[in-house]
Amino acid sequence: MPNTATENKENKTAPMPSTMSVVAPAIGWLIPGAGHLAQKRWIRGLLLMVSIVSMYLLGLAMQGHVYKPNGGDILDMLGFVGDLGAGGLYIITRANDWGQGLISHATADYGTKFLIVAGLLNFISVADAYHIAIGKKP
Amino acid sequence: MPAITLTHFSAALVFALFASVVFGITQRSTARDQVRYGLYCFAMFIGGVFVAGWAMWLIRR
């Protein structure tokens, strides 16, 4: 039979996840930086938003290629996972059929990398928003 | 979307700037540490560009 004192101690050390720990990563994924803004980390949120959105838009402007889920090739699938990290930006891009750039010059390939890295950076930003929400980071 | 053509170096510079900002904010807790780590990452990115550039120059010779 479990000890009641031990149960009480476990309940104290493992608090229930707050609503913010679910909401912040979700909106942070959808709108880069919004997870921080929702938790009143204004400067951090704005810097993350400007950095990730600028990088993504520059990637598009450089005629970068946006990957689709059914790429077939394993590298295309990995590219899709990276692109998907940009959340709402990726959805808007696909909805408008942007990112179909032909690789006509060397920096267009950089554009593709900008798009993927912007998505991956947003994944890091989402994880950070979660850590703030659960109190692991100030 | 309007098309932009960046040079290799300016593309690397912009990449380093944005990636460093995100790394600095997400990988450190205090504001001071975030700035320091962001600057460190930026310096490493740009340093890496020059090292890679000179390495390619040496290989080509």
Side-chain angles (χ1 to χ4, degrees), chain A residues 44 47-48 51-52 54-55 57-58 60-63 107 110 114 117 121 124 128 137-138, chain B residues 1-8 11 14-15 18-19 21-23 25-29 34:
Chain A
R44 287 190 223 175
L47 282 171
L48 288 171
S51 299
I52 294 168
S54 301
M55 198 165 193
L57 293 179
L58 267 174
L60 279 180
M62 289 161 77
Q63 323 250 315
T107 53
Y110 291 167
F114 269 49
V117 172
L121 290 175
I124 301 176
D128 193 54
K137 190 178 173 186
Chain B
M1 288 296 292
I4 290 177
T5 306
L6 295 178
T7 63
H8 293 257
V14 171
F15 182 98
F18 293 143
V21 168
V22 176
F23 284 171
I25 291 171
T26 57
Q27 303 301 310
R28 293 292 182 271
S29 295
Q34 287 172 349

Side-chain angles (χ1 to χ4, degrees), chain A residues 63-76:
Chain A
Q63 323 250 315
H65 176 72
V66 174
Y67 290 99
K68 296 180 177 67
N70 55 353
D73 184 16
I74 185 74
L75 289 176
D76 284 5

Side-chain angles (χ1 to χ4, degrees), chain A residues 16-64:
Chain A
M16 289 290 288
S18 66
T19 312
M20 191 53 83
S21 67
V22 178
V23 171
I27 60 170
W29 173 73
L30 209 56
I31 306 165
H36 288 72
L37 293 175
Q39 298 179 85
K40 297 187 171 62
R41 266 64 173 188
W42 307 113
I43 297 172
R44 287 190 223 175
L46 280 175
L47 282 171
L48 288 171
M49 184 180 280
V50 168
S51 299
I52 294 168
V53 172
S54 301
M55 198 165 193
Y56 193 88
L57 293 179
L58 267 174
L60 279 180
M62 289 161 77
Q63 323 250 315

Side-chain angles (χ1 to χ4, degrees), chain B residues 33-44:
Chain B
D33 285 348
Q34 287 172 349
V35 172
R36 284 168 63 96
Y37 189 66
L39 289 172
Y40 170 77
C41 287
F42 186 75
M44 285 293 128

